[in-house]
Structures are given as structure tokens and as C-alpha cells.
Amino acid sequence: MPTQAAGILGTGRALPNQVLTNTDLEKMVETSDEWIVSRTGIRERRIAAPDETTSHFGTLAAQRALAAAGLKPSDLELIICATVCPDMMLPSTACLIQARLGAKQAAAYDLVAACSGFIYGLATARSFIEAGHCRYVLVIGAELLSRFVDYTDRATCVIFGDGAGAAVLGPVENGRGILAHRILSDGDYAELLYNPGGGTRYPASETTVRNRLHYIKMRGNELFKVAVRSMADTVTQILDELHLSPSDVDLFVPHQANQRITDAVAERLHIERERIYANIERTGNTSSASIPIALDECVEAGRVKPGQLLVFASFGAGVTWGAMALRW
Ligand code: UT7
């Protein structure tokens, strides 16, 4: 047991106002509301306005998380922004958020682990706090996937949405907070979900734009199987480590990738619907933002009570995946 346990002290979220429905998408690509709902569970997703950026929503979510934690920006010693949709290639979106918050005591950096970014960020924050290197750490998951989605590609454009969620972590009494986590990756699957243009392999040029290399490409069907297996296995591993079983889990908050993925993972783990939080119907897949947005909704709705066991699980591009168990 660590000398200093780390837990979540406050959460926040921020979503764009504009709603993109399945009916809207029917006018853009050859798809149908029936196909999208039955294959993904998504009915609508939020899309940012042209003048809004990832750091805008990240900052709003962070301010709400700080307020919920009863802390000031100057209390923060570290800011981690998990994103695959940075405002710019350079500098980090975390630094832009740090400036807007006025968190002058904090180091800030971005973390690229796609949909697993929030769990990777929590794992990092846990290590800093347990080791005594930081007292308060802000972890943000913020994505404007609409800026990188090809709205002529029905295989991706129906899935993704925009938004941000955040959590402030700090010291909690032993036995509470983060109890166990496991984060993993397998780069052999890198090209199942990727955005090839604009980096060193294909620097931005007229040709990369003409060939649509600045958009996300996804082999969804192949990802699906790896996602279900890895999320279910990792949850089992962390529960085993704690000598607990899926029946001990009060609330399972998975990455909202696809309702069918959540259902398949839940079936493998024997966790019934009442103990699973799902909001994909309204948000779509918001990558690293999906777990903190879902968690903040749970907190707001009073679905999380002190002493309860929460489990998060995620899977995303890389591929990366992970799971975490917390005592609230
Ligand atoms: O966030 C973490 C990383 N991402 C994921 O984990 C995503 C995981 N994958 C998925 O969520 C699903 O694979 C998708 C929702 C992306 C696709 O669902 P699927 O059931 O795996 O469909 P599929 O790709 O096997 O395609 C089945 C059929 C194909 O037609 P044919 O070849 O059977 O005639 C597709 O062309 O559905 C067609 N299709 C569509 N039809 C209507 C693909 N996208 C659409 C669409 N509307 N939007």
C-alpha cells in the first residue's frame, strides 16, 4: 500500500452547443439513422463551432473540476492534457490551458494515447502523487475530432463527437482513491486507426491534402474484436490483483467507443446494465474525453457514492488500452 493514496477530488465537463444528429448525417453520406443506432448506439453527437478550439473546452472542463474540488489554479503542480486533437502541433494544448487557467505553479504537457488517454493520464497523476512529487494534478481529456474527421467517409464520420472532461487529483486517505490500474499498448496495430498527414512521414503539403491524409482512417471491424478482448481482460486483471470480482463493481464507466463494444465487454465480465454508465447515445465517441465526461455526469446525477467501487476501461488508437479501479 502506498504511503500516500491518490484520488479524484473534483470533476468537470464542457461540450459544444451544436448537435449533429443521425438525420443530419443521412444528408451528408450514404447512411441511415437505423444503421447508426443499431451498429453503434449513437443518436447524436456535439460538434464545435469554427472559432472554438480543444483548449477552449479543456479550460472550461478544468475550471469546473477545480471548482468542484474547492481548489485554485495556483494549487496545481501538474497539468496533463490527453488529446489527439491539439490546437496546434506546437506548443502543447496543456500549456495553452495552463495559461488560460493562470496555473503558474504547474508543469504542463500533452499525452497522446488516443481513447485511452484519460486512463493513461490518471495513472501518471497517481504516480506523481503517490511518490510525493506533486500534491494536486489536473488531468484533462479534450478532443475536437470533428476537425480531423472526413465527412465524406461514412465509416468514421458517424462515430466521433467533440467535448472535454477533467478531473483534479490529490491526496486521499489510504484505502480510498485509485486502488489499481493497468495500461498497455501494441503498436503492431497502429494502422487500424490513424491520421497519417501532417507529421514527419507525410509533412503537410498540397498532395497530402488532396489525398485526404489529414483525416482519420479506421478499420473499425478489426478494432472492434481487439477492443472487446483487451478491455475485458484488463478489467479482470486489475480486479484479480485486488482480490475482487466483477460482482463487487458498483459502477463500470467504460470508454464510450460503441454501445456494442460496451455490451460485449459487460457480457464477458457479467456486469449487468444497471451497473454500467452509458451516454454514447448523446455524445458519440469523444475519445479521451469520453470517460471524464461520463464520470462527471455520474457525479452530477448522484450515481457515485462515497465508498463505492468504480472501474474505468478504455481502448484506442496505438493501439492502447487500460483499466483502473477506484474507491470513491
Ligand atoms: O474509440 C476506440 C477506437 N474505435 C473503435 O473501437 C471503433 C470500433 N469499431 C466500431 O465501432 C465498428 O466497427 C463500426 C461502427 C465502426 C462499424 O460497424 P461494423 O458493424 O463493424 O460494420 P463494418 O465495418 O463491418 O461494415 C458492415 C457494413 C459494410 O457494408 P457491406 O460491405 O457489408 O456491404 C459497410 O460498408 O456496413 C457498411 N457501413 C455502413 N453502412 C451505413 C459502414 N459504415 C456505414 C454507415 N452507414 N455509416
Side-chain angles (χ1 to χ4, degrees):
M1 186 161 289
T3 48
Q4 178 55 72
I8 292 178
L9 308 178
T11 61
R13 68 182 191 278
L15 287 115
N17 292 328
Q18 192 194 330
V19 174
L20 181 70
T21 65
N22 291 351
T23 313
D24 297 329
L25 283 164
E26 282 176 354
K27 295 175 196 130
M28 297 159 72
V29 286
E30 198 184 325
T31 191
S32 66
D33 175 55
E34 192 280 327
W35 191 95
I36 303 171
V37 173
S38 63
R39 298 289 182 122
T40 70
I42 301 167
R43 292 185 188 276
E44 60 184 45
R45 67 288 292 140
R46 298 299 181 99
I47 302 295
D51 61 339
E52 292 171 331
T53 56
T54 301
S55 64
H56 166 75
F57 292 102
T59 304
L60 282 176
Q63 286 166 335
R64 290 166 186 163
L66 278 165
L71 292 170
K72 304 184 295 297
S74 58
D75 293 320
L76 296 172
E77 289 174 285
L78 177 62
I79 298 173
I80 299 169
C81 181
T83 188
V84 290
C85 308
D87 283 22
M88 297 179 271
M89 285 291 281
L90 194 71
S92 71
T93 302
C95 277
L96 302 177
I97 294 172
Q98 182 255 1
R100 287 200 196 192
L101 292 174
K104 294 291 183 191
Q105 310 303 317
Y109 58 82
D110 285 1
L111 189 160
V112 181
C115 307
S116 307
F118 188 69
I119 292 184
Y120 269 57
L122 293 183
T124 310
R126 175 194 189 189
S127 304
F128 272 92
I129 294 165
E130 286 186 357
H133 296 309
C134 288
R135 192 166 171 79
Y136 298 116
V137 180
L138 171 65
V139 181
I140 303 158
E143 308 284 10
L144 259 60
L145 288 151
S146 63
R147 299 283 157 81
F148 301 94
V149 161
D150 183 350
Y151 283 97
T152 66
D153 174 14
R154 68 178 183 175
T156 51
C157 73
V158 302
I159 300 280
F160 295 111
D162 298 342
V168 175
L169 286 89
V172 294
E173 64 186 82
N174 273 342
R176 299 291 271 266
I178 299 170
L179 304 178
H181 78 261
R182 197 165 162 79
I183 50 174
L184 289 156
S185 61
D186 188 346
D188 284 343
Y189 291 111
E191 294 195 358
L192 291 188
L193 178 51
Y194 68 127
N195 183 354
T200 55
R201 192 192 291 191
Y202 303 111
S205 68
E206 281 181 41
T207 311
T208 59
V209 174
R210 199 178 324 116
N211 293 335
R212 308 181 90 75
L213 296 186
H214 54 300
Y215 288 129
I216 292 170
K217 325 276 174 210
M218 181 169 80
R219 286 172 16 213
N221 198 285
E222 290 166 66
L223 273 176
F224 194 105
K225 294 164 202 150
V226 195
V228 172
R229 187 176 0 106
S230 28
M231 282 165 78
D233 287 353
T234 320
V235 170
T236 305
Q237 285 158 7
I238 58 163
L239 290 174
D240 282 351
E241 185 187 322
L242 295 168
H243 306 292
L244 295 169
S245 80
S247 62
D248 295 307
V249 177
D250 293 299
L251 189 61
F252 180 44
V253 186
H255 165 47
Q256 312 284 310
N258 179 325
Q259 190 57 43
R260 282 163 54 223
I261 293 182
T262 297
D263 292 345
V265 172
E267 194 180 312
R268 282 186 178 218
L269 295 170
H270 305 292
I271 300 180
E272 64 281 6
R273 240 163 219 272
E274 296 67 47
R275 291 190 287 139
I276 304 168
Y277 191 73
N279 64 1
I280 193 166
E281 192 180 21
R282 292 176 280 114
T283 60
N285 177 338
T286 58
S287 189
S288 69
S290 89
I291 291 178
I293 290 172
L295 177 65
D296 188 53
E297 289 182 2
C298 291
V299 172
E300 190 176 81
R303 279 198 69 175
V304 212
K305 307 214 167 37
Q308 284 190 331
L309 182 72
L310 267 67
V311 168
F312 304 148
S314 69
F315 177 87
V319 295
T320 57
W321 67 98
M324 177 169 275
L326 304 92
R327 182 75 61 197
W328 199 252

